[in-house]
């Protein structure tokens, strides 16, 4: 995908002016928040599970090297192959080598954000291999030449009429007079078209929600069953997963699975939870002849031991963006990167550098809702503040912001000067607000006052009012 995170402000402005997008984004609040709340309320031990999930992931990250080795050993024992990819380029090349060795012309793909991260589809097209997305949302945006705007609902920015228009534009072999007004008819048509592609595919590529070190198993969760067909019908199954997807045991995986669906879609558990261990065995009725796992680093080991390590606990449920007021306003494409929302605001600078993605950790109101709903207790606002600190240290902020913070720091370190400055400022702003108590224009604050009024403060600061009340009481 085209990386446009440096243009976040322009992207956001366009998103705010797009009425269709604004209408579609209302589905995020309606479709996720209430369902998650109901699912959590129905599970009294939910918070205890969150604590346990955090412990499991922290333990795994503390011993990640050992669990990775154990996982590789188990995959090999089951007849599979593990490939190590330090970078996105390494991962793409490994996938291509496997596809070319077996003469693949078409590959089917289950939903996978990690293959979006390495830009796999464009790479395969460049080498005459057609990737076919089989998740309904991914299939729709592939028809449009777009990328996911949400990590679990990739087409959440679209409405039904747009999907119908795309199906009529692409599925020209079907009856042009067919009725596609009901969502069920769109689903049926996608199923009809995709089923043929499953049988044409030489290779199936999936991501992994979890990798289990105890058994060498990869786990995917879906609600459509497309992941099962993607990995069981072609003769080769390739799993592309990042290294932090490891969990030690099946029991650990089952505990975190109880958090995943509830946090993501408000379900007790996803419709399909598929465990894959190695290629097809002699007694198996179906399955791939070859099973490959590509383990991707792509900057994640650099996060270990840093103030951003907690981000590696993320299980990609999307709860943080479902509850983020900034995401609700601008949607996922405005972030200009694979991972939108609060988790993307932390992960994107880690993967691509804060020098080109510094706008993202600033795209937050710091309301704290993301951290409060995160099933892994990831302190997202705290890490966004760390990125803002890095941005300031590297002089990546505008000069006015740096000098403004410098002046504030100078005053804030001197209590007497701070009290005097805030008293003068409060009095002055109160006078500007006048009888209406609102300020419509203010130097250095046009970013706020150009679109809304600024409420005028009281004429006295809290310290002054407190001192006055104490004096009256005495």
């Amino acid at each position: 995908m085209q990386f446009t995170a440096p243009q976040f402000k322009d992207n956001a402005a366009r998103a705010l002016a797009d009425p269709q997008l604004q209408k579609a984004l209302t589905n995020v609040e309606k479709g996720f928040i209430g369902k998650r709340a109901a699912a959590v309320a129905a599970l009294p031990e939910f918070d205890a599970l969150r604590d346990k999930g955090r412990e499991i992931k922290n333990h795994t990250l503390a011993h990640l090297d050992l669990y990775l080795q154990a996982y590789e050993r188990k995959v090999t024992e089951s007849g599979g192959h593990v490939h190590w990819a330090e970078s996105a380029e390494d991962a793409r090349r490994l996938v291509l080598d496997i596809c070319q060795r077996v003469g693949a012309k078409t590959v089917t793909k289950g939903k996978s954000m990690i293959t979006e991260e390495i830009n796999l589809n464009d790479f395969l097209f460049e080498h005459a291999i057609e990737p076919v997305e089989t998740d309904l949302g991914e299939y729709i945006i592939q028809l449009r030449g777009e990328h996911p705007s949400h990590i679990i609902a990739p087409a959440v920015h679209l409405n039904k009429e747009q999907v119908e228009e795309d199906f009529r534009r692409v599925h020209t072999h079907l009856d042009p007079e067919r009725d596609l007004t009901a969502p069920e008819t769109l689903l049926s048509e996608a199923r009809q078209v995709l089923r043929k592609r499953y049988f044409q595919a030489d290779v199936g590529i999936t991501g992994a929600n979890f990798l289990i070190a105890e058994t060498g198993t990869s786990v995917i969760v879906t609600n459509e069953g497309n992941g099962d067909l993607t990995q069981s019908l072609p003769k080769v199954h390739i799993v592309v997963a990042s290294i932090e997807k490891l969990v030690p045991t099946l029991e650990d995986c089952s505990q975190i699975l109880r958090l995943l669906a509830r946090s993501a879609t408000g379900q007790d558990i996803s419709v399909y939870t598929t465990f894959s261990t190695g290629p097809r065995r002699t007694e198996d009725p179906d399955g791939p002849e070859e099973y490959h796992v590509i383990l991707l680093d792509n900057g994640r080991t650099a996060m270990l031991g840093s103030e951003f390590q907690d981000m590696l606990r993320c299980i990609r449920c999307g709860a943080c963006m479902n509850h983020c007021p900034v995401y609700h306003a601008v949607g996922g494409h405005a972030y200009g990167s694979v991972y939108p929302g609060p988790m993307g605001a932390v992960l994107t600078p880690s993967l691509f550098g804060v020098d080109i993605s510094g706008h993202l950790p600033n795209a937050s109101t710091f309301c704290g809702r993301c951290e409060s709903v995160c099933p892994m207790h990831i302190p997202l606002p705290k890490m966004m503040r760390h990125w803002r600190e890095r941005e300031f240290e590297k002089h990546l902020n505008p000069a006015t912001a740096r000098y403004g913070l410098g002046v504030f720091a100078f005053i804030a370190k001197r209590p007497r000067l701070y009290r005097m400055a805030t008293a003068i400022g409060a009095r002055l702003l109160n006078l500007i607000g006048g009888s209406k108590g609102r300020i419509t224009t203010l130097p250095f604050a046009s970013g706020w006052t150009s679109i809304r009024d600024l409420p005028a403060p009281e004429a006295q600061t809290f310290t002054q009012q407190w001192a006055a009340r104490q004096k009256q009481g005495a």
Side-chain angles (χ1 to χ4, degrees):
M1 70 174 291
Q2 186 179 5
F3 187 81
T4 62
Q7 291 83 48
F8 172 78
K9 290 184 178 179
D10 294 335
N11 296 343
R14 281 195 296 274
L16 290 167
D18 184 340
Q20 183 280 319
L21 175 63
Q22 293 301 312
K23 180 181 177 182
L25 287 174
T26 61
N27 295 327
V28 176
E29 291 187 75
K30 294 176 185 174
F32 291 112
I33 295 178
K35 291 179 180 177
R36 176 198 171 274
V40 169
L43 187 68
E45 67 268 33
F46 186 78
D47 281 335
L49 275 174
R50 291 176 73 195
D51 295 340
K52 184 62 179 176
R54 176 176 57 187
E55 292 174 13
I56 291 170
K57 295 296 281 187
N58 281 344
H59 169 81
T60 309
L61 293 172
H63 304 88
L64 187 58
D65 53 341
L66 299 179
Y67 284 119
L68 284 169
Q69 292 174 28
Y71 175 75
E72 181 184 28
R73 189 163 55 248
K74 286 295 182 182
V75 172
T76 304
E77 288 175 3
S78 65
H81 306 274
V82 172
H83 310 267
W84 301 87
E86 183 176 355
S87 66
E89 183 180 357
D90 294 339
R92 289 193 299 265
R93 180 56 60 182
L94 285 165
V95 172
L96 180 64
D97 288 347
I98 296 170
C99 290
Q100 289 181 332
R101 179 174 56 76
V102 299
K105 299 297 181 186
T106 302
V107 303
T108 46
K109 291 181 63 214
K111 185 178 178 303
S112 163
M113 292 307 295
I114 203 71
T115 58
E116 294 287 343
E117 180 182 321
I118 66 174
N119 205 20
L120 182 61
N121 283 8
D122 291 346
F123 183 76
L124 291 177
F125 268 124
E126 291 170 5
H127 291 82
I129 298 172
E130 181 188 13
V132 179
E133 298 287 354
T134 61
D135 172 89
L136 178 59
E138 291 274 2
Y139 176 67
I140 291 168
I141 60 173
Q142 187 180 30
L143 297 182
R144 298 172 61 85
E146 296 179 346
H147 294 275
S149 63
H150 190 290
I151 62 173
I152 64 166
V156 74
H157 59 288
L158 301 174
N159 58 40
K160 181 175 69 64
E161 288 71 26
Q162 290 174 295
V163 177
E164 178 182 347
E165 183 180 332
D166 289 323
F167 278 18
R168 292 192 185 282
R169 175 176 56 82
V170 177
H171 301 161
T172 53
H173 60 292
L174 299 177
D175 181 4
E177 303 300 324
R178 65 193 185 282
D179 182 8
L180 291 177
T181 53
E184 293 78 8
T185 59
L186 295 171
L187 178 63
S188 177
E189 180 164 311
R191 182 184 294 122
Q192 175 188 349
V193 171
L194 285 173
R195 185 161 291 275
K196 295 179 181 176
R197 307 310 302 270
Y198 286 119
F199 291 102
Q200 295 169 346
D202 306 291
V203 173
I205 301 174
T206 68
N209 294 94
F210 303 101
L211 303 171
I212 303 174
E214 179 184 35
T215 57
T217 302
S218 57
V219 183
I220 58 171
V221 299
T222 67
N223 281 322
E224 301 167 14
N226 61 301
D228 291 34
L229 295 176
T230 297
Q231 65 187 48
S232 61
L233 291 180
K235 57 187 176 185
V236 178
H237 177 203
I238 302 175
V239 180
V240 185
S242 48
I243 56 175
E244 80 277 14
K245 295 298 179 73
L246 256 292
V247 293
T249 66
L250 278 167
E251 175 63 23
D252 294 329
C253 179
S254 65
Q255 294 204 46
I256 300 178
L257 279 171
R258 298 183 71 195
L259 291 166
L260 178 58
R262 288 179 169 87
S263 300
T265 54
Q267 297 166 279
D268 291 346
I269 193 165
S270 302
V271 177
Y272 297 89
T273 301
T274 308
F275 294 70
S276 301
T277 308
R280 176 181 185 177
R281 292 160 295 190
T282 306
E283 65 273 22
D284 289 340
D286 53 30
E289 297 171 11
E290 296 183 22
Y291 176 78
H292 299 266
V293 181
I294 297 174
L295 290 173
L296 177 68
D297 181 345
N298 206 26
R300 286 165 174 83
T301 51
M303 298 168 67
L304 291 170
S306 75
E307 61 265 60
F308 304 108
Q309 175 171 313
D310 291 341
M311 190 63 228
L312 297 176
R313 294 202 301 265
C314 180
I315 56 174
R316 307 291 192 269
C317 67
C320 60
M321 59 193 73
N322 293 342
H323 292 75
C324 176
V326 176
Y327 184 93
H328 291 170
V330 302
H333 285 160
Y335 289 82
S337 181
V338 175
Y339 302 107
M343 58 81 69
V346 174
L347 189 57
T348 302
S350 303
L351 300 180
F352 302 101
V354 71
D355 53 328
I356 58 172
S357 50
H359 286 311
L360 303 189
N362 286 284
S364 171
T365 62
F366 278 179
C367 64
R369 294 179 76 189
C370 52
E371 182 175 358
S372 69
V373 298
C374 176
M376 290 288 114
H377 286 301
I378 299 175
L380 291 159
K382 175 184 172 183
M383 289 188 284
M384 282 187 267
R385 279 196 294 274
H386 285 318
W387 278 124
R388 293 185 184 188
E389 291 164 4
R390 296 275 185 96
E391 192 181 23
F392 184 82
E393 290 167 359
K394 293 185 176 183
H395 291 187
L396 298 173
N397 309 87
T400 50
R402 293 202 309 276
Y403 292 136
L405 282 172
V407 171
F408 174 78
F410 179 83
I411 296 173
K413 291 175 183 174
R414 294 161 176 80
R416 185 173 297 177
L417 178 61
Y418 179 83
R419 287 195 292 271
M420 184 175 69
T422 52
I424 294 173
R427 182 63 179 163
L428 186 60
L429 291 173
N430 182 266
L431 288 173
I432 294 173
S435 59
K436 293 183 178 179
R438 311 188 70 80
I439 301 169
T440 57
T441 179
L442 192 68
F444 305 113
S446 61
W448 178 288
T449 57
S450 63
I451 55 175
R452 72 193 76 180
D453 292 344
L454 178 69
E458 295 292 328
Q460 290 185 316
T461 65
F462 173 80
T463 306
Q464 289 174 310
Q465 293 183 45
W466 179 263
R469 292 187 184 188
Q470 292 294 100
K471 189 175 181 180
Q472 288 175 357

